[in-house]
Amino acid sequence: MNELVPGGNLPLPGGPVQVRVPGGFDVSALITGDGGKVGGDGDFVFYNQPEAPGARLRGDTLTVDPRTLRTGATRVTVAVSAADPDTELSALPSPTLRVTDADGRALARFTPPRPGRETVLLLAEFYRRGEGWKLRALGQGYADGLAGLARDFGVDVDDETPPAVTATDPGAVPAAGGHLSAGQVPAAGGHVAAGQVPPPEDPGFLREVNAARAAAGSPPVALDARLAAAARAHASAMAAAGTLSVQTRDGISVYQRALGAGYAYLTVGEHLVSGPRTPDEFVAHCLGTEGARRTLHDPAHTHVGLAHVTGGPSGDTYWTALWASPLTAAGLARTAAEVVALTNRERAAAGLRPLAPDPGLTAAAQAHSADMVARDFYSHTSPDGGGPRDRAVAAGVARGTIGENIACGQRSPAAVVEGWMNSPGHRANILEADFTHIGIGLAGGGRAGTYWTQLFGG
């Protein structure tokens, strides 16, 4: 069975496949063509309309048969929301998607990072590639629920008993139980969702930032609405508490806010500052110290979100800037390969043979890093009692010796390998002569930032 990560994909066998999402979730599917929009009412499959050509929903199980989809269909997107409309997704365990073939054989499993503000989550999509079909893991969501879904897929949300919407209720959105049809796209209301770009704090902020980055030889960054939403939430929480902190009094870290806003990141950096009165002063402050300047100049970052909030016990102004680059399959593979190379450099210095990357160990390591983020724990033993060997066996690894290193908070391959080498127990695993193979996993968005896993086999 394949353990997928956001952006990961795999070819599908011919014939129907089943998708199951157990727990307190409503499963739905949107059938689209190359343009990414539904063609009509019949292209939306949910509990009130459980069947369409090529797609059938029974309880928490969706059956998709690409061969019998309507003409022109090239994609089926699977979405989930909380079955209880009074329950937020963030209050539920992270949904786990399980995919099986027509004979019940397990094909793939995917558990996205734990939802934050999202009320609808896109878990995966089936898509045509040439003459065949593939499955891609997504793990992206909408903070504005059906309105966001409608905006991107061209669906109309038409509640049978719509609430009155007046000028004093600008953020109202239709209830989750409404009827969906193609055509109109309702306004997104007052919520920030993926793809929306709110006005920047100041038009000159990005200009100043990118001028400073250009002077340092770094590429420009772009404003991102999700990072801006996370930055505003964190600045508000700091202002309410009257203190600067990575994790605020509500127990949520700035990294969790980024992931909760829908930005799954590969690299991340932050500035938490109080005092500056304008974005210009904020940028000047960040350029004034080496560590803060290094974050602003970091060439790995591609996006930024900025927010400031004045208030709280002290009446001070609290600023949060989030700098990040998005998680992609290519970026994940490149970062994991760099960890392997640095690990093998340490082994070579000790006169040991290099470790070979192993797909099964890689899948198990990635699943553990993602699980630590999704279920908010940090341990070699998962909440259900599984350990490194259990994860390796589940990923199809048959090796006599298994070892594991984990770490959290480091922001680069060099930093995490250096940290492991400075710890006797982790160093012993890296320099174990009996190990022959390795897998690397990493996932961002946990309480401590990025969670890393090295899984060894021999």
Side-chain angles (χ1 to χ4, degrees):
M1 181 178 65
N2 293 275
E3 291 279 359
L4 296 180
V5 300
N9 62 77
L10 79 159
L12 293 172
V17 293
Q18 286 193 333
V19 175
R20 181 169 179 259
V21 185
F25 304 100
D26 276 336
V27 181
S28 55
L30 297 113
I31 302 166
T32 58
D34 290 335
K37 304 294 184 182
V38 298
D41 290 3
D43 281 349
F44 186 70
V45 177
F46 67 125
Y47 57 89
N48 274 346
Q49 184 171 276
E51 292 196 31
R56 182 179 73 253
L57 180 64
R58 294 291 185 269
D60 62 6
T61 302
L62 174 73
T63 301
V64 177
D65 188 348
R67 301 170 303 179
T68 58
L69 290 169
R70 66 162 173 84
T71 302
T74 58
R75 194 175 304 267
V76 179
T77 304
V78 181
V80 296
S81 56
D84 179 357
D86 295 325
T87 300
E88 296 184 359
L89 276 178
S90 60
L92 297 171
S94 192
T96 294
L97 175 141
R98 294 178 170 89
V99 184
T100 57
D101 66 12
D103 296 322
R105 288 188 294 265
L107 298 176
R109 182 172 64 185
F110 171 55
T111 302
R114 191 185 188 98
R117 296 173 57 243
E118 299 94 338
T119 55
V120 173
L121 197 65
L122 305 184
L123 278 186
E125 62 182 4
F126 299 93
Y127 64 100
R128 177 175 290 170
R129 180 66 69 200
E131 296 301 315
W133 283 73
K134 302 182 77 173
L135 171 71
R136 178 185 290 119
L138 297 177
Q140 300 172 338
Y142 297 93
D144 52 350
L146 293 181
L149 196 74
R151 181 178 60 249
D152 282 1
F153 288 89
V155 176
D156 177 38
V157 182
D158 179 20
D159 194 6
E160 293 177 0
T161 56
V165 179
T166 69
T168 59
D169 186 21
V173 293
H179 174 68
L180 283 87
S181 60
Q184 294 177 298
V185 179
H191 303 281
V192 176
Q196 289 181 280
V197 179
E201 289 276 347
D202 184 279
F205 166 71
L206 194 63
R207 183 171 58 251
E208 286 198 32
V209 163
N210 282 332
R213 288 175 63 86
S218 298
V221 292
L223 292 169
D224 186 272
R226 297 160 296 180
L227 294 178
R232 178 161 295 280
H234 200 73
S236 296
M238 290 193 301
T243 183
L244 295 172
S245 56
V246 169
Q247 180 174 303
T248 48
R249 202 161 52 187
D250 54 13
I252 303 174
S253 78
V254 69
Y255 316 113
Q256 290 172 311
R257 295 189 200 280
L259 190 62
Y263 195 106
Y265 62 79
L266 182 67
T267 62
V268 70
E270 76 282 344
H271 287 121
L272 309 177
V273 178
S274 65
R277 295 163 298 176
T278 66
D280 292 353
E281 291 184 7
F282 172 80
V283 173
H285 175 88
C286 293
L287 292 172
T289 59
E290 182 180 354
R293 185 168 57 248
R294 189 163 53 245
T295 297
L296 190 150
H297 287 163
D298 192 334
H301 298 149
T302 58
H303 295 101
V304 64
L306 174 72
H308 72 276
V309 173
T310 301
S314 65
D316 289 340
T317 300
Y318 289 82
W319 295 78
T320 300
L322 272 167
W323 312 80
S325 62
L327 178 68
T328 64
L332 183 67
R334 182 178 64 252
T335 304
E338 189 173 346
V339 176
V340 173
L342 290 169
T343 299
N344 281 334
R345 183 185 300 173
E346 298 292 347
R347 289 177 64 87
L352 299 170
R353 61 183 173 179
L355 302 173
D358 179 274
L361 292 173
T362 298
Q366 183 60 41
H368 188 54
S369 286
D371 193 30
M372 287 191 288
V373 169
R375 293 200 275 179
D376 194 17
F377 74 98
Y378 178 63
S379 173
H380 294 288
T381 303
S382 64
D384 53 15
R389 179 168 294 279
D390 300 312
R391 292 187 284 274
V393 170
V397 176
R399 298 193 179 276
T401 307
I402 295 293
E404 183 178 76
N405 286 342
I406 59 175
C408 62
Q410 295 84 358
R411 300 187 180 186
S412 69
V416 74
V417 173
E418 180 182 4
W420 280 326
M421 288 300 293
N422 288 335
S423 166
H426 298 96
R427 179 186 178 93
N429 271 340
I430 288 175
L431 302 182
E432 171 57 59
D434 290 340
F435 288 144
T436 57
H437 291 77
I438 189 173
I440 304 297
L442 60 137
R447 192 176 302 274
T450 299
Y451 287 63
W452 305 78
T453 302
Q454 273 185 323
L455 195 58
F456 305 91

